[in-house]
Amino acid sequence: MSLNIEFIGNSKASHTLYIIIAKKDSLNKHNFSDLFKQEASEFLKENKQEVLTLYKDKQKINAFIYINTETEYSAKLDNARVFGSIIYKTLCKDKSTACTLTGLNDLNEKEIYALLEGMLISSYRFDKYKKNKSVAKKLYIEKGSISADKLQELKHVTAAQNIARDLVNEPVITLNAIALSSAIQKLGKTYGFSVKVLHKNEIQKLKMGGLLGVNRGSDDPPTFNILEYKPKTAKNKNPLILVGKGVVYDTGGYNLKISGFMSTMKCDMAGAAAVIGAFCAIAANKLNAHVIGLIPATDNRIGHNALVQDDIITMYDGTTVEIQNTDAEGRLILADALSYAKKYHPKLVIDLATLTGAAAAVTGHYGIGLMGTADKKTIQQLMESGEEVYERCIEFPFWKEFDELLKSEIADLKNIGGAVGGASTAGKFLKHFTDYPWIHLDIAGPAFIKEGAKGYQQKGATGVGVRLLYNFVKKIK
Ligand code: BES
Ligand code: MG
Ligand code: ZN
């Protein structure tokens, strides 16, 4: 994190001053020159967002004319985030390492939160492998613009999102399944949630054939990670379970990803990263919810023993699966985790996975594909949580006809469907292993941005899912 937001202390520091002007009245508050006032009011009249520079007593002042004309709640908040990123970019051009931002009080509390959130999210850099690191900036804001608790919550959540982004951006050469487990254990100690790592011998004893099957081509062993956050104040009797796809690299296996499709496949553990990030955010903010996380982790590679088409494997719950495509590996490892989840009698299970290119083709990086068996109200709640943080979910068809496409003549299931509905058949495959209310989120589209990052987004890992899950868990009753 290269932006540190603090409240203005008692000492008057001579930082560059930034002012947000969102209301006409505010122009009179600041003792601006008539010329500036005239210019600014023109923009305000025209509903135009602008960045203006003026000088007062030789001090350079940057004024942001902030006009949020969006009326719809979700879009309005996101506009505030985008504006936060515009402010952050202006700040970056400034040589001083500390800046002061005033005028936030022109905005309502939710907008202020979103604006600062946009600044924090856009300040992320994955520069651990660069000689030239980004410089840390300090931003002072006025006391009373946002409560100290809210600011702390925001810092925790965006830091957790950045943890997810760091994990996804890390290549497999430094982050195999074992390293991912070590990272989870370390975070568990720091943030206050328990972590149990099952290693290959235990996974073998449990006969998790899906996870072991995908791992067959690898020199690195798989892991199965169990995270638990259980405060005494937990409101839910039965746990909420979060399952994350932890394919630390997806080469496709023998159905090799060719013609460039392998590039970015370090992001295939973004579901796992979202779960890990959500745990950090939930524990740091001490939410009153009992949450369990399940993360099956392995890479998907070629090796002399790797799965091939026509193999039949037996999953953790005894289901046999005919392998028809080794690149449909995510569902195999998730199936074992979903079967494992049954023993906790969960209130709800949500899985997050970069599962299908088909989902990405529908959503782009703008949203998440949602399917499942949870009741309408729960799905609605999750979708609303998504709108608020702008990690929007869209319901994909989950028709019974898609079940038919997974039938195998020689095993209980095959691991791919037909030519159509790739995201839906992947979801249906997973459904087979659930017997509780369940929601599947296909994040293949929004997990990683290769091209076309805008506003507060950046190229690379997005950390999608962290703010969505946090916001959803916060509302658990
Ligand atoms: N990890 C991929 C899905 C993916 C694609 C994630 C693009 C992020 C961006 C997944 O394991 C996969 O390869 N799915 C196949 C399934 C197919 C073989 C049925 C796909 O979508 O092509
Ligand atoms: Mg694959
Ligand atoms: Zn994959």
Side-chain angles (χ1 to χ4, degrees):
M1 171 78 65
S2 52
L3 182 69
N4 192 359
I5 304 178
E6 305 279 347
F7 290 114
I8 301 172
N10 294 328
S11 65
K12 270 258 174 272
S14 58
H15 314 131
T16 317
L17 191 60
Y18 292 84
I19 301 177
I20 294 180
I21 301 164
K23 289 180 185 156
K24 213 166 169 228
D25 300 351
S26 308
L27 278 177
N28 299 322
K29 274 198 293 203
H30 295 289
N31 200 8
F32 295 129
S33 73
D34 288 345
L35 190 69
F36 176 80
K37 274 197 223 172
Q38 202 186 334
E39 201 181 342
S41 53
E42 286 303 314
F43 285 114
L44 285 164
K45 229 188 278 163
E46 287 169 37
N47 278 343
K48 249 192 185 162
Q49 294 199 156
E50 269 307 322
V51 181
L52 300 176
T53 306
L54 70 151
Y55 289 86
K56 196 177 136 196
D57 304 332
K58 289 196 184 134
Q59 195 191 5
K60 188 175 162 193
I61 301 175
N62 297 276
F64 297 99
I65 311 291
Y66 170 88
I67 310 287
N68 201 335
T69 48
E70 293 285 354
T71 45
E72 198 258 320
Y73 179 58
S74 160
K76 195 175 181 78
L77 288 185
D78 208 53
N79 206 18
R81 284 182 203 103
V82 172
F83 202 73
S85 77
I86 294 172
I87 296 180
Y88 179 72
K89 277 167 204 157
T90 311
L91 228 90
C92 282
K93 289 184 205 138
D94 201 309
K95 285 198 187 71
S96 58
T97 51
C99 305
T100 300
L101 180 66
T102 65
L104 279 169
N105 281 326
D106 272 10
L107 282 57
N108 69 41
E109 205 198 4
K110 292 240 170 191
E111 266 181 292
I112 296 172
Y113 185 95
L115 185 139
L116 296 176
E117 186 173 47
M119 292 186 79
L120 286 170
I121 295 174
S122 51
S123 73
Y124 171 83
R125 298 285 177 276
F126 184 67
D127 57 10
K128 69 183 272 201
Y129 293 107
K130 301 260 307 173
K131 200 187 278 165
N132 297 326
K133 315 258 187 247
S134 65
V135 213
K137 287 245 179 205
K138 236 190 177 125
L139 179 74
Y140 291 101
I141 58 170
E142 290 162 305
K143 274 186 192 143
S145 49
I146 185 171
S147 74
D149 285 353
K150 268 273 157 212
L151 180 61
Q152 191 53 60
E153 179 184 15
L154 170 65
K155 285 186 188 182
H156 282 321
V157 176
T158 45
Q161 181 176 353
N162 289 345
I163 287 169
R165 290 160 102 181
D166 276 345
L167 288 169
V168 173
N169 281 326
E170 194 69 45
V172 67
I173 192 166
T174 38
L175 196 90
N176 60 11
I178 297 282
L180 180 65
S181 294
S182 305
I184 301 171
Q185 280 173 319
K186 213 169 145 196
L187 289 165
K189 282 205 186 90
T190 309
Y191 283 89
F193 55 87
S194 75
V195 180
K196 191 170 163 47
V197 179
L198 305 183
H199 287 281
K200 189 171 180 180
N201 56 340
E202 289 149 297
I203 297 168
Q204 279 168 331
K205 264 188 229 146
L206 289 171
K207 299 191 178 142
M208 289 187 164
L211 180 54
L212 290 165
V214 175
N215 184 253
R216 284 173 68 93
S218 179
D219 283 343
D220 299 333
T223 62
F224 188 84
N225 307 277
I226 304 164
L227 294 63
E228 185 164 23
Y229 172 72
K230 191 179 186 183
K232 287 199 183 78
T233 49
K235 286 184 188 154
N236 53 325
K237 230 167 97 209
N238 296 62
L240 165 70
I241 302 189
L242 305 176
V243 177
K245 172 177 171 182
V247 171
V248 286
Y249 200 85
D250 185 10
T251 69
Y254 276 110
N255 289 99
L256 195 63
K257 289 191 183 289
I258 49 167
S259 355
F261 284 108
M262 203 185 294
S263 149
T264 77
M265 278 306 137
K266 64 176 182 181
C267 83
D268 217 16
M269 36 60 75
V275 172
I276 298 163
F279 264 77
C280 295
I282 291 164
N285 287 311
K286 301 195 165 48
L287 295 191
N288 300 321
H290 179 199
V291 193
I292 291 173
L294 301 176
I295 296 173
T298 175
D299 49 349
N300 181 29
R301 280 191 202 249
I302 285 170
H304 73 282
N305 252 329
L307 285 178
V308 290
Q309 273 173 256
D310 300 333
D311 272 337
I312 296 176
I313 59 172
T314 305
M315 312 293 277
Y316 173 66
D317 76 340
T319 302
T320 55
V321 176
E322 182 190 359
I323 304 300
Q324 280 301 305
N325 192 316
T326 62
D327 201 8
E329 84 298 340
R331 62 197 76 185
L332 301 175
I333 72 166
L334 286 168
D336 283 349
L338 291 171
S339 308
Y340 191 84
K342 289 177 189 169
K343 71 172 195 170
Y344 296 105
H345 304 290
K347 168 193 167 82
L348 171 69
V349 176
I350 303 175
D351 79 75
L352 293 95
T354 44
L355 205 60
T356 64
V362 174
T363 63
H365 59 246
Y366 313 111
I368 300 169
L370 179 150
M371 287 150 262
T373 57
D375 60 74
K376 280 230 148 45
K377 201 175 139 214
T378 307
I379 291 179
Q380 197 55 38
Q381 277 167 353
L382 186 65
M383 291 182 83
E384 274 169 23
S385 297
E387 292 292 330
E388 276 172 12
V389 300
Y390 221 65
E391 296 187 346
R392 295 165 296 176
C393 303
I394 181 93
E395 245 182 292
F396 281 4
F398 214 44
W399 300 312
K400 66 178 190 313
E401 285 77 4
F402 288 121
D403 292 290
E404 303 294 311
L405 301 173
L406 290 167
K407 283 197 172 141
S408 160
E409 282 177 21
I410 55 171
D412 299 329
L413 284 176
K414 56 180 182 177
N415 79 329
I416 51 167
V420 297
S424 301
T425 46
K428 285 290 187 180
F429 183 92
L430 299 181
K431 177 177 171 274
H432 177 92
F433 300 89
T434 66
D435 68 354
Y436 38 68
W438 158 76
I439 298 174
H440 163 54
L441 300 177
D442 195 326
I443 57 168
F448 199 91
I449 302 181
K450 208 173 169 182
E451 227 64 68
K454 269 191 176 166
Y456 57 93
Q457 295 172 329
Q458 278 149 312
K459 264 191 178 180
T462 59
V464 71
V466 174
R467 288 183 303 120
L468 167 65
L469 290 174
Y470 175 77
N471 196 26
F472 177 74
V473 173
K474 208 176 147 178
K475 292 175 189 168
I476 276 191
K477 285 191 191 90

